[in-house]
Amino acid sequence: MAVLPAALGALPAPAVAEPEDFDEFWRLTLSEARAHDLAVERTEVVQPLSEIVYWDLTFSGFGGHRVRAWLSMPARRGREPLPVVVQVPGYGRGRGLAGEAPHVAAAGMAHLLLDVRGQGFGYGCGGETPDFGTDGAPEAPGVVTRGISSPETYYYRRLIADAVRAIEAVRSLPDVDAARTMVMGNSQGGGVALAVAGLVDGLAGVTVSVPFLCDVPAVLPMAQGEPYNELSRYLAVRRAGREEVLRTLSYVDGVNHARRASAPSLWALALRDVTCPTLGGQQALAAYGGEAEVHLFPDNGHEGGEYHYLRRQLQWLRERAGW
């Protein structure tokens, strides 16, 4: 397991339970997703950045639903397959517009920016992948409570399956080096990246910052603002359903997935984060099954290290790619 920086001090045991059928649940989920052909398609798109080439890429995710992503690569590249970074956006964001997130491709690697199903409602320039398959129960605004009455119908089951299939889709491309596949994410994307790290073999690296959905029972009482407030408002009305909700969340919790991860990892934690309280990220880091490099930002909230950390991320990803 990863070694925590001394500055974080000792931690209590995680509050999240681990379901007995956790591994079987995810084995069946991914088996169901893989029953649908990936059917990867990509079309080059026009955008204003002359040094980067973009494609509109689609593939079959959870339930065979068509999921979109932006694939980008340096315009001036050789014939050798490139290392690739799959990125999951934060809560409320879709893939946006082509050219909106150029940093990874500008650093010389292929970049797949996942379009998060049913999102694109909070910031950025939107998304184009709809969500399907809710259980019909009432939900708060946003997606945190969508289908939360059961692990089988829960929104994040679908999104995590989409992210795993995104890895499989990009690894199938001839101009990508499957052995140098990495995953990155901030906030929601960080929590999903941890799930991917626990579910996908052979990743060359994982980079996570201020992760969401980690030790949810412990952080929910201290979290402020969205998206955890959506969950609190839901439970304030559905008082008798709390244990059922926490059970569902345990299947997507980053602590449980981190235990199963082994790829080298890079982390950023912000010690004044009240949106995704730092304790959750600390518990996921403590549980993580591989080596970890950790950057702490003691005076920052959920914005974390911003470009200060992104510079290290890009350097670290290039190092993991063997450059």
Side-chain angles (χ1 to χ4, degrees):
M1 291 194 289
V3 177
L4 270 68
L8 293 179
L11 289 176
V16 63
E18 183 175 304
E20 292 183 1
D21 65 341
F22 183 91
D23 293 314
E24 181 66 3
F25 173 84
W26 283 106
R27 186 192 69 79
L28 290 173
T29 294
L30 297 181
S31 178
E32 289 177 18
R34 289 166 179 151
H36 303 275
D37 188 78
L38 269 172
V40 179
E41 299 177 348
R42 72 188 207 187
T43 304
E44 189 170 347
V45 297
V46 176
Q47 46 77 41
L49 304 179
S50 62
E51 300 304 305
I52 301 177
V53 180
Y54 271 81
W55 293 268
D56 182 2
L57 185 140
T58 60
F59 62 93
S60 297
F62 179 88
H65 307 148
R66 298 300 285 171
V67 178
R68 306 184 79 160
W70 291 127
L71 174 67
S72 57
M73 297 184 189
R76 304 180 190 182
R77 61 190 187 279
R79 296 183 179 180
E80 294 299 316
L82 290 175
V84 62
V85 178
V86 176
Q87 181 175 3
V88 183
Y91 189 73
R93 183 168 194 147
R95 67 174 182 169
L97 302 176
E100 198 173 340
H103 297 95
V104 174
M109 296 167 283
H111 181 220
L112 188 81
L113 180 60
L114 185 67
D115 196 27
V116 186
R117 60 166 60 222
Q119 294 194 39
F121 54 75
Y123 64 110
C125 292
E128 299 175 279
T129 301
D131 186 30
F132 305 88
T134 65
D135 66 351
E139 59 194 43
V143 298
V144 170
T145 62
R146 185 174 292 172
I148 203 169
S149 63
S150 165
E152 287 75 19
T153 58
Y154 191 35
Y155 171 85
Y156 279 98
R157 180 194 186 209
R158 299 191 289 279
L159 178 54
I160 289 169
D162 288 347
V164 171
R165 294 288 275 171
I167 297 284
E168 295 170 354
V170 80
R171 280 177 164 176
S172 73
L173 301 176
D175 40 1
V176 161
D177 182 355
R180 293 187 289 170
T181 305
M182 295 164 281
V183 62
M184 71 183 292
N186 175 77
S187 190
Q188 170 183 257
V192 174
L194 286 173
V196 171
L199 293 169
V200 175
D201 293 330
L203 291 174
V206 180
T207 174
V208 173
S209 57
V210 294
F212 178 46
L213 291 175
C214 292
D215 204 5
V216 176
V219 304
L220 181 58
M222 62 182 77
Q224 299 176 23
E226 310 302 340
Y228 278 115
N229 274 4
E230 294 177 21
L231 184 56
S232 295
R233 289 198 301 272
Y234 180 91
L235 291 172
V237 175
R238 299 173 68 86
R239 298 167 179 84
R242 197 171 201 277
E243 292 306 312
E244 176 184 75
V245 164
L246 292 180
R247 176 179 177 272
T248 292
L249 288 165
S250 69
Y251 287 88
V252 304
D253 197 293
V255 173
N256 290 335
H257 284 286
R259 293 191 183 105
R260 292 158 170 81
S262 60
S265 63
L266 177 73
W267 297 66
L269 300 177
L271 302 189
R272 291 183 178 271
D273 190 351
V274 295
T275 300
C276 294
T278 316
L279 175 61
Q282 291 173 326
Q283 294 287 20
L285 173 60
Y288 194 80
E291 64 182 67
E293 175 185 319
V294 186
H295 293 259
L296 301 180
F297 297 94
D299 301 306
N300 290 98
H302 197 56
E303 76 280 4
E306 297 186 313
Y307 192 67
H308 183 90
Y309 177 62
L310 178 58
R311 291 193 305 173
R312 176 56 189 149
Q313 279 184 301
L314 296 172
Q315 180 187 27
W316 186 87
L317 289 165
R318 285 175 58 86
E319 291 167 359
R320 295 307 311 163
W323 291 359

